[in-house]
Amino acid sequence: MLRVLFEITQEDVLFLASPLTFDPSVVEIFVALSSGASLLIVPTSVKVLPSKLAAVLFSHHRVTILQATPTLLRRFGSQRIKSTVLSTNTSLRVLALGGEAFPSLTVLKSWRGIGNKTQIFNVYGITEVSSWATFYRIPEKILNSTLKCELPVQLGFPLLGTVVEVKDTNGFTVQEGNGQVFLGGRNRVCFLDDEMTVPLGTMRATGDFVTIKDGEIFFLGRKDSQIKRHGKRLNIELVQQVAEGLQQVESCAVTWYNQEKLILFMVSKNDLVKDYIFKELQKHLPSHAIPDELVLIDSLPFTSHGKIDVSELNKIYLNSIDLKSECKLNGKEELWEKLHHLWKSVLSLSEDPLKVPDESLFLNSGGDSLKSIRLLNEIENLVGTSVPGLLEIILSSSILEIYNHILQTVFPDEDLTFSKNYATKRKYSDVNQEETSGKSLHQESVMPLNCDSEINAFIALSRGSQILSLNTTRFLTKLEHCPSAYSSDLISQTNIQNMKSLNPPALIGKSKDTSCVAVVSEEETSVMGAEKMEFHVRWRSDTGKCVDASPLVVIPAVDKSSATVYIGSHSHRMMAVDLYSGKVKWEQILGDRIESSACVSKCGNFIVVGCYNGLVYILKSNSGEKYWMFTTEDAVKSSATVDPTTGLFYIGSHDQHAYALDIYKKKCVWKLKCGGTVFSSPCLSLIPYHLYFATLGGLLLAINPATGKRVWKHSCGKPLFSSPRCCLQYICIGCVDGNFLCFTHFGEQIWQFSTNEPIFSSPCTSASEQEIFFGSHDCFIYCCSMKGHLQWKFETTSRVYSTPFAFHNHNRGNEMLLAAASTDGKLWILESKSGELQSVYQLPGEVFSSPVVWESMLIIGCRNNYVYCLDLLGGNQR
């Protein structure tokens, strides 16, 4: 049929473009033989040189029929295609392109010389039905039109004896819409692999996805070209077509490197600036389709079948990384200058001559999470090493703070010479490494320590209203607590309303009027109405540096008055403070800054906390003495979670792994590669028995806690700084794209709620688990129903980074209150059902720590170096 379609005669000359291992070669050979035409066979040494090949085909032998892949054609370069292959006087009568996605009409028209008469066909097929199955001739009217055409080229009509079907994922035939192509026919049969018999009429799945519109079939892309990036489906061939349509681009290819980076390889027509290309791409592509990196190359590599050689492109990319890593910075000043250049480049501010102000924030300067990842890659390429924790710094800090953070990694404190070995990561196997810099300041014992031989009964509270009640059954009457609904002693938020010890005194007044302000002191102020709740500082304790960690409060069942607050700070200091008096019970100096919040062991005898130096410290809860140190390969900012059924601890690291630790046997039970930095804290569900981790790569993972095997994963597409939160039916999490997401325990997304800015705050559920609370960088605190409907939102005076805490107001019947903090240092108490303001209090520094409330006391860390305990009193109580 192709012989008739192309009107081939004995006067024609066909080029054997395909190797004998590629099935289109059979078409070329037999079309020539059956029509008496000439078949031109060219040595491989000539094929690989586009200039020589063009001369052989169109000057020396005057080829009239060319069947080729689009890649083979692109190798000639757009100028040579226009001047030779598709010129006005070309010998080429028929050009049939197949084997890959057909070029866009805009690109195709740009390749044609004025007056060119070559007939151009789109041919499509698969080996399983002996090559070509459909054809479509591009109408002359379209090719000659001067109007810009963005429409794709259709697959066209079946060849004789061919059946084409489009089916959806359920196997049903599609008449309109998207589906996969199936090809077959009574006589179109090939034997594959070990097949001995094939029923007549067998339909073969192609792996190609199409859309049907008004009866016409349009190619969408190969199954392996359909990727999910930043939470959205993307066809990388679309990116290639858009890039190829840019005036400065000679030819290009796009790869999905290691399934994590979108790389654009480009042959340019002239010397161009990468910034300009990125700027142009942003005009034509959605944000999730913008490549991570652009690599300039001299020519496209291709396989013997005439298709893009992806493996060779990957080698080129790796070589480009190696070259960058060999470049040395000449000093801190050069780093500062280049950081400014990268900042402007990524934010498309290259033409702005003004200096970037030191206090500039990335997100406020036009950045988003996708651009932040690009800036991260550019910086790490510049300095030649990974910079732990840099992504969250980019998203939350000024350019000056970003610069200072980079300095800590790439320049030793007293040496201005750059050394790419400075930030060498610790080896995972070095788990017994001792540390000599730490010291213990033992001042007072909290409880006797006998490892796991003596079990202590206690209740532990941590951020987000997380309450752990362990071994308390015989003490519940004494503590006036109701038993947990779970046999594991894990108290869910559902039981919080039954815990009388959480009830603060009655709180009076509901006025929303915030105009009544009373200054309590110059440093700390309480803002309230005439009958509102008041804050009074019970105590504050100096930690030496900023306190970004959140408090852990442990209340022993035998003696509630000996309750202890455990908290760490950037001073490297881990502290145990008496909850009621503020007296420091012990201090322990760890090896680096502490942002991780502490977690208590099942027996109550140990405290577990992560550190910037990559260690997970297990400290004796009564003295702070180091019991065991476990080594990861990067900073640990994640806070541990304890399994009340097994006693195992689960924690994440910036080394992209999740760990399960048995502190009693001092061993790692399992570790799992998570596909991204683990900044946030894991969450454990007992029914079903799932452990949830979130990564800065945008993955939410469900893991079997017993085996460390992944149960399911969901790509949110954007970094996840928020920690996941479980309730009986759902798992919820916030994302830096501003969306708050809700899933079933089996990975199905139920709903999402959109805010206007990134969400770093972790969720907190109400007592009934019917509402969920969280903050956003848009300065609002949100309350949504478990169906995803907004119940209320409250506007604060700054971004809300920390996690809210829901607690019970016993003297108001069933009234629930919500404590929250904004980064400007304000503490907010809201009525949880309505969002009405009850009181606001100003701390003297920024707040990234999350509040914890026990009885009528609120505990929180502040960036003025102090941890605070404030009494929450009703308007008639002093």
Side-chain angles (χ1 to χ4, degrees):
M1 185 173 177
L2 289 175
R3 187 179 68 227
V4 176
L5 188 65
F6 297 158
E7 298 176 333
I8 298 176
T9 70
Q10 58 187 10
E11 304 299 324
D12 283 306
V13 179
L14 283 80
F15 169 47
L16 183 61
S18 309
L20 297 179
T21 54
F22 193 29
D23 53 286
S25 63
V26 177
V27 176
E28 293 161 346
I29 292 169
F30 285 97
V31 164
L33 290 176
S34 63
S35 59
S38 300
L39 184 68
L40 178 64
I41 303 175
V42 175
T44 303
S45 58
V46 175
K47 274 187 181 181
V48 297
L49 299 172
S51 57
K52 281 191 177 182
L53 182 60
V56 167
L57 296 185
F58 305 107
S59 297
H60 302 159
H61 295 283
R62 306 290 291 172
V63 165
T64 60
I65 309 293
L66 175 61
Q67 173 190 266
T69 60
T71 294
L72 181 62
L73 184 65
R74 286 186 180 100
R75 278 184 54 79
F76 289 118
S78 59
Q79 295 300 325
R80 192 174 286 114
I81 295 174
K82 194 168 187 174
S83 63
T84 305
V85 184
L86 295 177
S87 66
T88 305
N89 301 315
T90 182
S91 60
L92 192 63
R93 195 170 57 77
V94 172
L95 173 63
L97 296 176
E100 292 177 317
F102 196 83
S104 70
L105 286 172
T106 300
V107 170
L108 190 63
K109 288 194 287 185
S110 72
W111 286 345
R112 296 177 77 240
I114 298 173
N116 174 261
K117 299 296 182 183
T118 303
Q119 299 174 35
I120 302 177
F121 289 83
N122 180 16
V123 289
Y124 167 76
I126 56 173
T127 302
E128 290 85 344
V129 293
S130 61
S131 201
W132 308 129
T134 69
F135 73 95
Y136 179 71
R137 178 180 173 183
I138 316 301
E140 199 74 21
K141 182 179 178 182
I142 291 178
L143 290 174
N144 292 330
S145 170
T146 57
L147 297 175
K148 188 173 182 179
C149 183
E150 300 294 345
L151 293 174
V153 174
Q154 61 172 289
L155 294 188
F157 311 98
L159 290 171
L160 188 65
T162 304
V163 177
V164 179
E165 292 181 355
V166 178
K167 298 180 180 180
D168 61 20
T169 53
N170 296 315
F172 296 110
T173 301
V174 175
Q175 301 296 336
E176 194 83 3
N178 298 348
Q180 183 181 179
V181 178
F182 287 75
L183 296 177
R186 183 173 178 81
N187 299 313
R188 301 214 63 174
V189 174
C190 286
F191 293 93
L192 305 179
D193 302 323
D194 297 327
E195 289 179 345
M196 300 299 293
T197 59
V198 177
L200 295 178
T202 295
M203 300 296 290
R204 301 285 192 181
T206 63
D208 293 323
F209 288 89
V210 297
T211 187
I212 301 179
K213 188 175 182 180
D214 298 328
E216 297 176 343
I217 303 176
F218 297 93
F219 184 69
L220 293 176
R222 290 279 310 155
K223 186 176 182 180
D224 46 17
S225 294
Q226 301 286 317
I227 66 172
K228 198 165 187 183
R229 183 170 184 251
H230 304 311
K232 297 182 180 179
R233 191 144 313 267
L234 173 65
N235 176 14
I236 62 175
E237 289 164 353
L238 167 68
V239 181
Q240 179 175 323
Q241 287 188 0
V242 170
E244 196 173 50
L246 300 180
Q247 191 175 357
Q248 299 78 9
V249 178
E250 181 76 39
S251 57
C252 65
V254 179
T255 66
W256 183 227
Y257 179 75
N258 279 355
Q259 295 189 326
E260 60 182 23
K261 279 190 175 184
L262 194 65
I263 312 297
L264 171 61
F265 297 87
M266 195 175 69
V267 180
S268 64
K269 294 179 182 176
N270 44 45
D271 293 333
L272 50 81
V273 182
K274 289 184 180 181
D275 299 349
Y276 176 79
I277 292 296
F278 275 113
K279 199 170 183 178
E280 288 298 304
L281 289 175
Q282 287 169 359
K283 294 178 182 177
H284 303 285
L285 288 171
S287 59
H288 69 278
I290 302 298
D292 294 300
E293 295 192 44
L294 191 158
V295 179
L296 296 176
I297 55 177
D298 295 327
S299 62
L300 289 175
F302 67 108
T303 66
S304 60
H305 291 179
K307 297 186 178 184
I308 291 288
D309 191 336
V310 175
S311 63
E312 189 61 32
L313 287 176
N314 287 339
K315 289 178 185 177
I316 292 172
Y317 173 63
L318 285 174
N319 288 337
S320 72
I321 294 175
D322 291 339
L323 286 173
K324 287 179 181 178
S325 66
E326 290 172 6
C327 298
K328 291 187 177 180
L329 290 167
N330 293 322
K332 298 180 180 180
E333 294 77 13
E334 185 181 4
L335 173 61
W336 181 242
E337 290 175 7
K338 290 192 173 182
L339 178 59
H340 272 250
H341 171 75
L342 293 177
W343 182 279
K344 288 185 173 183
S345 170
V346 170
L347 295 174
S348 301
L349 302 173
S350 302
E351 299 172 5
D352 189 345
L354 298 177
K355 178 180 178 291
V356 179
D358 292 355
E359 66 276 9
S360 295
L361 295 171
F362 187 75
L363 293 174
N364 291 349
S365 302
D368 54 32
S369 56
L370 303 183
K371 291 177 181 177
S372 71
I373 294 171
R374 185 182 156 208
L375 180 59
L376 171 69
N377 291 333
E378 294 284 1
I379 291 172
E380 292 189 336
N381 286 337
L382 171 66
V383 301
T385 186
S386 62
V387 184
L390 180 57
L391 183 59
E392 59 263 36
I393 297 295
I394 290 172
L395 287 165
S396 61
S397 305
S398 70
I399 187 172
L400 181 59
E401 291 172 305
I402 294 169
Y403 168 71
N404 288 329
H405 184 81
I406 300 168
L407 283 183
Q408 293 173 21
T409 297
V410 301
F411 290 106
D413 289 341
E414 298 180 2
D415 185 1
L416 294 180
T417 304
F418 170 68
S419 170
K420 67 180 180 181
N421 296 320
Y422 176 65
T424 302
K425 291 183 178 180
R426 298 172 180 267
K427 291 185 178 179
Y428 166 71
S429 58
D430 187 20
V431 294
N432 293 318
Q433 175 180 337
E434 291 298 325
E435 190 170 285
T436 58
S437 61
K439 61 180 180 178
S440 175
L441 305 178
H442 178 219
Q443 295 182 339
E444 181 179 333
S445 292
V446 181
M447 58 181 76
L449 172 71
N450 295 304
C451 295
D452 200 24
S453 60
E454 179 171 330
I455 303 297
N456 298 293
F458 63 89
I459 291 170
L461 291 91
S462 55
R463 63 179 181 171
S465 307
Q466 296 183 85
I467 304 171
L468 182 68
S469 172
L470 284 169
N471 321 309
T472 56
T473 306
R474 59 196 172 115
F475 297 102
L476 287 174
T477 304
K478 181 183 289 188
L479 277 180
E480 298 181 327
H481 281 281
C482 292
S484 165
Y486 294 105
S487 60
S488 65
D489 286 324
L490 184 66
I491 294 188
S492 73
Q493 188 62 26
T494 307
N495 304 103
I496 190 172
Q497 72 270 30
N498 295 324
M499 302 181 66
K500 294 183 181 179
S501 294
L502 272 181
N503 300 338
L507 307 175
I508 306 169
K510 283 186 132 184
S511 171
K512 268 190 163 182
D513 183 9
T514 59
S515 61
C516 182
V517 178
V519 178
V520 176
S521 70
E522 288 187 11
E523 271 200 322
E524 298 102 11
T525 61
S526 184
V527 184
M528 60 205 138
E531 293 185 332
K532 292 287 186 179
M533 179 196 309
E534 295 182 15
F535 286 86
H536 291 282
V537 177
R538 173 182 281 262
W539 53 260
R540 63 178 188 168
S541 185
D542 188 357
T543 70
K545 276 195 176 179
C546 300
V547 186
D548 286 341
S550 299
L552 166 71
V553 179
V554 178
I555 304 97
V558 291
D559 181 11
K560 191 175 68 168
S561 65
S562 66
T564 305
V565 176
Y566 298 93
I567 197 165
S569 90
H570 287 269
S571 65
H572 306 187
R573 188 181 303 173
M574 187 69 202
M575 300 174 64
V577 184
D578 184 274
L579 173 62
Y580 291 92
S581 69
K583 181 179 179 181
V584 176
K585 296 184 175 183
W586 56 254
E587 289 182 357
Q588 175 64 264
I589 307 301
L590 305 187
D592 207 334
R593 290 183 286 169
I594 306 166
E595 194 173 325
S596 167
S597 301
C599 182
V600 65
S601 64
K602 181 182 179 182
C603 63
N605 293 322
F606 302 101
I607 296 298
V608 176
V609 67
C611 185
Y612 270 45
N613 64 355
L615 296 183
V616 179
Y617 289 85
I618 294 82
L619 308 176
K620 294 180 181 179
S621 59
N622 66 341
S623 66
E625 179 186 344
K626 293 174 187 173
Y627 172 73
W628 181 44
M629 291 175 290
F630 175 78
T631 309
T632 75
E633 296 180 18
D634 210 331
V636 181
K637 299 183 184 180
S638 170
S639 303
T641 292
V642 67
D643 188 331
T645 60
T646 65
L648 293 181
F649 280 91
Y650 309 108
I651 197 166
S653 168
H654 272 51
D655 67 6
Q656 303 193 7
H657 286 88
Y659 295 90
L661 305 179
D662 186 331
I663 65 170
Y664 304 110
K665 295 181 180 179
K666 295 186 178 180
K667 71 173 187 178
C668 177
V669 177
W670 55 256
K671 85 179 223 185
L672 176 71
K673 179 84 170 178
C674 291
T677 294
V678 182
F679 171 85
S680 63
S681 305
C683 174
L684 179 68
S685 166
L686 297 177
I687 306 173
Y689 193 37
H690 284 175
L691 179 66
Y692 296 99
F693 275 90
T695 78
L696 298 191
L699 293 179
L700 176 62
L701 304 168
I703 299 167
N704 183 328
T707 63
K709 301 295 184 183
R710 192 176 69 203
V711 179
W712 56 262
K713 71 174 181 179
H714 178 90
S715 175
C716 299
K718 311 290 192 303
L720 298 170
F721 287 88
S722 171
S723 298
R725 182 63 191 268
C726 302
C727 60
L728 195 59
Q729 289 183 291
Y730 303 117
I731 178 82
C732 298
I733 194 167
C735 184
V736 299
D737 63 1
N739 287 319
F740 188 81
L741 309 167
C742 180
F743 303 86
T744 68
H745 285 288
F746 303 100
E748 180 187 358
Q749 184 174 325
I750 301 300
W751 52 264
Q752 76 175 37
F753 177 85
S754 296
T755 71
N756 296 318
E757 295 290 342
I759 299 174
F760 288 77
S761 170
S762 300
C764 159
T765 57
S766 66
S768 63
E769 293 193 346
Q770 295 303 305
E771 295 86 27
I772 192 153
F773 311 100
F774 58 93
S776 170
H777 271 39
D778 65 5
C779 303
F780 281 90
I781 299 165
Y782 290 87
C783 172
C784 288
S785 71
M786 276 303 178
K787 293 183 178 179
H789 303 307
L790 178 66
Q791 302 300 295
W792 54 259
K793 66 178 183 177
F794 177 86
E795 186 172 12
T796 70
T797 51
S798 187
R799 295 175 295 170
V800 181
Y801 182 94
S802 64
T803 301
F805 192 100
F807 59 104
H808 194 238
N809 180 8
H810 177 67
N811 292 330
R812 280 292 186 90
N814 292 322
E815 184 182 52
M816 290 292 296
L817 300 174
L818 190 74
S822 49
T823 55
D824 59 358
K826 287 194 177 71
L827 304 179
W828 308 86
I829 302 296
L830 308 176
E831 202 282 317
S832 69
K833 285 293 183 184
S834 65
E836 289 185 4
L837 179 66
Q838 301 299 303
S839 189
V840 59
Y841 183 86
Q842 178 70 63
L843 286 173
E846 288 187 312
V847 172
F848 286 77
S849 173
S850 299
V852 170
V853 178
W854 172 254
E855 296 182 334
S856 60
M857 293 171 285
L858 184 150
I859 308 95
I860 195 167
C862 182
R863 283 196 166 177
N864 73 334
N865 305 347
Y866 284 84
V867 56
Y868 284 84
C869 179
L870 302 111
D871 285 321
L872 310 178
L873 303 174
N876 59 351
Q877 292 179 307
R878 294 301 299 255

